[in-house]
Amino acid sequence: MLRRTFLMSVGLPVALWLTGCRGQRQFARIVNPGDKALMGSHQAGAETFGPLVDEAVAKLLARNAETPVQQVSYDDSGEPIPCEPKRICFVGVENKSAEDIGDFKDEIYQVIDTRLLQTPIFQPLNRRVVDAGLLETRLRPDQLCIPEHMRQFATHLEREGEPIDYLLYATLTSGTTRENRDYERSYRLTMELIDVRTGTYDKQSADLVKGYHHSRLSRWRATNPLSR
Amino acid sequence: MTRLGLLAIVVPCLALLAGCATHITRLEPVRAAFHRGDLDEAERLIAADLEQHPGDADVLTLDRALVALADGRPLAAEDLLKEVRDRFDHLEQESPVEDAWSMLSDDQQRSYAGEDHEKVLLRAMLAITNLSSDGGDAEAFGYQAAEKQAEIVAAATEEDGTNPKASYRQIALAPYLRGVLREETHRDYDDAARHFATVVSWQPEFTPGQADVVRASGGVHSPRGHGVVHVFALVGHGPCKVVVEEIPSSAALLVADQILSATLAQSLPPTVAPIKVPRVVAAPGLVSAVAVGRAKAEGGVAWQARTSTITDISRMAVEQEAAVHDRTVARAVARRALKKGTVFGVKEGLGVERFGPAALAFDLAGVAWEAAENADTRCWGLLPDSIQVVRMELPAGQHTLALQAVDRQGLAIGKVVPRSVTVADGRNTYVVLQAPDAGIIGEALASSP
């Protein structure tokens, strides 16, 4: 009897407290490499942009990784001369997809910029220099592809002691296919490298398709081979 | 049942009848002081109210933030707004104990987590406040405002796919701020164009929006040697909540009481006290816009532009409240039913004689219990009627702007306020001011580019 009374008098308020009150304000964790990460349920997130950037940058680097020049000379030292890194002006990331990518835009820029800086193939200009150049010339990034504007911009940077060989654009695009309330969206990140002297360009891109489903059943049906 | 027992039930219920003034009644003097520009008095009244009614601390802190902003203390205002933002985020979680308690009393017993428009405006106001100081976090606050807006609408989706909040008028200030900040980078014009297009679709009445879209899509931030001044004006009296009596619901409930009382073993307390619910009402005030000009060297002012509404807070608040009003009424009716059921249950449990004095005492207590309810009128009481903005391209250098509140006929209200601003080549400068009723009040803040 005493025990029941005790349990009622202590257990009931505790149970009420546990079920009836608001929880802690916020929780957090460090997501280590290999940990299960969140998947953007309504739009692209790190799970989409990460692989896109990895693949697009890798393709760009592979394409531009020239073999070092084998020097031919009288002294026959045979040491290959490393190529001069290409001085590039990474103009920015253009979002032409159906989604507002929010704070990912600057993130994508910084990831690409850092990767390029880490290779001996490219020597990107500091972003602040690029921004100052755009401000001072009052040229829009999309106007730089016009030969006259390209020359004007390159000349301006050269005058500032920052000559460039290439302009680099990253463009995010998307295409959406709908089936009733579900849809698939293909994301493409294109890296466009433009030679400021000749105007010739090269591009590499990476693709990723993501399906958005209105219910678990719908997602199961889309991924289960038996239901196809 | 003893007389003492009856007294023990009835007296506390009658004591509740005396009730308390609702939040909005207590806020009236604060609003009046603020609207006439007496910031010290407004601050003093808020501090006194905070001491007496700690339960209203969050909404009073929001009011205090706007007083601090008008008083030229943007950093203090930002701290206060951030404090409430975090509190509201916490209070958004359901609390079954609080919900249950509010069903036995009224909605004032629940923690106030802010109305939907208040939650978004809080973040937009943080962005404006931050712009008037260092501006380092303004983009993040603008982003948070847009995110919150989307989250509120998405969270209201019902199982059947319907969404009562899908028709919400959105706060165009959030994408506008993001567009303005992105345009200033001279690089992310694509983002700016996207945000300005959102502004046009959400606030079609904002006529400069089309020019913003065109400029961001094919033009540049400003000509060489020029910068841009954005004047943000918090104009007019904002919406407030008043108590309204739901007469049709009360009458229906009264008839239902009588039918049930005639058929059940015990009578139910009659619905004497009408059901009270809050209703958002707009009271825009005298000021309709702010004219902006430049002081001429030879004296006088060259008026150049007028602010336009980027977010009509009153209209939005009224529409949002209308979208969820039926639910508020349903909740109040359910509360009444629960109270009547409780009185009925207690009478049955105690075996009270149907037409005896005890039954009458219980019914009286039930009526008193119901009459003690009041509508929850807590709200951000010092919000403006609208947030307005004007964009001006000016040559780089020092300028003295002249700011003048005007009414709907374009007549001046209050004095012309001069404000010195520094315009930097290719950069934005922000001016923030408040003009509720008696012209521009307090200090017009200006950022340094």
Side-chain angles (χ1 to χ4, degrees), chain B residues 267-285:
Chain B
S267 62
L268 292 174
T271 305
V272 176
I275 293 172
K276 293 174 185 170
V277 289
R279 172 72 85 175
V280 175
V281 291

Side-chain angles (χ1 to χ4, degrees), chain B residues 131 176 180-181 183 196 212 215 221 228-232 389-392 427-432 445:
Chain B
L131 283 177
Y176 182 80
V180 162
L181 290 164
E183 192 182 24
F196 289 141
D212 291 335
R215 189 184 61 254
H221 170 269
V228 174
V229 176
H230 293 272
V231 178
F232 289 97
V389 68
V390 65
R391 180 187 191 276
M392 297 165 72
R427 293 285 168 225
N428 288 340
T429 301
Y430 306 96
V431 175
V432 177
L445 299 167

Side-chain angles (χ1 to χ4, degrees), chain B residues 278-352:
Chain B
R279 172 72 85 175
V280 175
V281 291
L286 293 176
V287 180
S288 117
V290 173
V292 186
R294 282 163 69 189
K296 291 190 280 193
E298 64 273 21
V301 176
W303 295 107
Q304 291 193 322
R306 243 180 225 193
T307 53
S308 309
T309 300
I310 183 80
T311 294
D312 188 338
I313 296 175
S314 295
R315 188 169 161 191
M316 184 177 60
V318 168
E319 287 177 4
Q320 289 194 0
E321 192 271 330
V324 294
H325 185 73
D326 289 347
R327 288 181 177 214
T328 313
V329 175
R331 194 178 153 76
V333 171
R335 181 183 295 115
R336 282 296 172 90
L338 183 74
K339 287 182 176 180
K340 289 177 196 300
T342 307
V343 172
F344 175 85
V346 171
K347 283 202 284 190
E348 274 286 278
L350 294 175
V352 172

Side-chain angles (χ1 to χ4, degrees), chain A residues 116-144:
Chain A
L116 295 179
L117 195 59
Q118 285 165 349
T119 68
I121 305 164
F122 295 116
Q123 188 182 344
L125 243 60
N126 187 307
R127 187 183 193 179
R128 292 171 204 281
V129 175
V130 180
D131 287 353
L134 289 170
L135 189 153
E136 282 169 31
T137 57
R138 288 294 203 279
L139 289 167
R140 294 168 56 91
D142 50 7
Q143 288 177 327
L144 296 182

Side-chain angles (χ1 to χ4, degrees), chain A residues 88-127:
Chain A
I88 61 166
C89 169
F90 182 16
V91 184
V93 180
E94 286 177 296
N95 176 24
K96 295 192 182 295
S97 73
E99 296 168 8
D100 176 6
I101 61 174
D103 55 352
F104 263 109
K105 193 170 187 182
D106 288 333
E107 172 80 356
I108 293 172
Y109 184 101
Q110 294 296 352
V111 170
I112 295 175
D113 198 34
T114 307
R115 299 261 172 90
L116 295 179
L117 195 59
Q118 285 165 349
T119 68
I121 305 164
F122 295 116
Q123 188 182 344
L125 243 60
N126 187 307
R127 187 183 193 179

Side-chain angles (χ1 to χ4, degrees), chain B residues 333-409:
Chain B
V333 171
R335 181 183 295 115
R336 282 296 172 90
L338 183 74
K339 287 182 176 180
K340 289 177 196 300
T342 307
V343 172
F344 175 85
V346 171
K347 283 202 284 190
E348 274 286 278
L350 294 175
V352 172
E353 192 188 336
R354 184 176 170 134
F355 296 107
L360 181 65
F362 270 109
D363 283 347
L364 276 176
V367 169
W369 191 15
E370 291 176 7
E373 285 172 18
N374 218 335
D376 182 11
T377 57
R378 283 173 293 180
C379 61
W380 191 351
L382 298 188
L383 271 178
D385 171 56
S386 62
I387 299 178
Q388 304 190 359
V389 68
V390 65
R391 180 187 191 276
M392 297 165 72
E393 288 179 4
L394 295 176
Q398 200 75 22
H399 299 273
T400 302
L401 296 182
L403 307 158
Q404 169 73 71
V406 293
D407 67 9
R408 277 163 190 76
Q409 282 74 44

Side-chain angles (χ1 to χ4, degrees), chain B residues 2-21:
Chain B
T2 65
R3 191 173 295 175
L4 201 65
L6 281 177
L7 280 174
I9 298 167
V10 177
V11 169
C13 293
L14 288 175
L16 281 172
L17 258 179
C20 300

Side-chain angles (χ1 to χ4, degrees), chain B residues 125-141:
Chain B
M125 215 58 94
L126 267 168
I128 290 182
T129 307
N130 190 261
L131 283 177
S132 65
S133 50
D134 70 335
D137 289 330
E139 184 153 13
F141 291 135

